[in-house]
Amino acid sequence: MSETKDKIVALADRLVRTKGFNAFSYKDISGPLEIKNAAVHYHFPAKADLGVEIVDQDVAKFIAQTNRWKSLPEEEQLVKLIDVFRRHSKEGNICLMGSLAPDFETLEPAMQAKVQEMANGILAWLSHCLEEGRKKKRIHFKGAANTRALIIISNLQASLLLSRVMGPSAFRHIAEQLLDDLCHK
């Protein structure tokens, strides 16, 4: 990828996480990067093309992270996942899936498919982590692992939203309670 294209994607990613996908335009990218709108359009003819690239890069990062965590005990993998959300909280960001969900019905079909792919991949990884942790008696919960994964992700996403309104303690309290409920008998 070219340096300009990388900068466009990075800034667009930040805008999606802070404002929402539908709340920014190419002008919000070209201005700060001091490039012409045509340069943004050159790399991403349609905004959906840019959105797909943002999701693809985020999925690639998630896969790389979870691959690095594979050798860790499952409860430590959960801590690593929560740390990802903690970083977003400190930066004032919303997670990408949580930011794109409210706009989902307005997204182009190709982008909707990518968001669904991202959500399914995250939930599949987390469900597997929870089930493996339960088998090894490292993680404790009732019910199906995929249901618990939905509860965890929805709580982490909500914690980022609540942190914007209530301050960083909202994230901290939710994250600590999630870990306490799962990792301590």
Side-chain angles (χ1 to χ4, degrees), residues 51-128:
V52 165
E53 182 64 28
I54 292 166
V55 173
D56 280 345
Q57 285 193 19
D58 198 65
V59 167
K61 286 177 197 171
F62 182 77
I63 291 169
Q65 287 173 324
T66 56
N67 282 337
R68 286 192 301 272
W69 303 343
K70 277 182 182 178
S71 63
L72 299 173
E74 289 76 16
E75 69 275 19
E76 289 182 35
Q77 291 181 52
L78 287 178
V79 169
K80 294 286 191 186
L81 177 67
I82 289 172
D83 285 345
V84 170
F85 281 82
R86 181 175 287 110
R87 278 193 309 277
H88 286 304
S89 179
K90 287 180 181 177
E91 295 169 2
N93 290 338
I94 301 301
C95 79
L96 188 59
M97 185 170 48
S99 181
L100 292 170
D103 295 333
F104 186 79
E105 295 300 324
T106 67
L107 301 175
E108 295 293 325
M111 199 168 160
Q112 286 180 339
K114 285 293 181 180
V115 172
Q116 288 173 325
E117 181 183 313
M118 174 177 57
N120 289 332
I122 292 167
L123 289 171
W125 172 83
L126 183 52
S127 296
H128 177 75

Side-chain angles (χ1 to χ4, degrees), residues 1 39 42 59 69 79 81 96 102 143 145-147 156 163 168 174-175 181-182:
M1 221 187 295
Y42 171 77
V59 167
W69 303 343
V79 169
L81 177 67
L96 188 59
N146 62 337
T147 302
L156 289 171
S163 290
I174 291 169
D181 290 348
L182 292 165

Side-chain angles (χ1 to χ4, degrees), residues 9-30:
V9 173
L11 179 54
D13 181 87
R14 174 83 172 136
L15 290 168
V16 169
R17 293 172 191 269
T18 57
K19 292 182 164 195
F21 186 75
N22 290 335
F24 77 91
S25 69
Y26 278 9
K27 184 178 179 183
D28 295 312
I29 295 171
S30 62

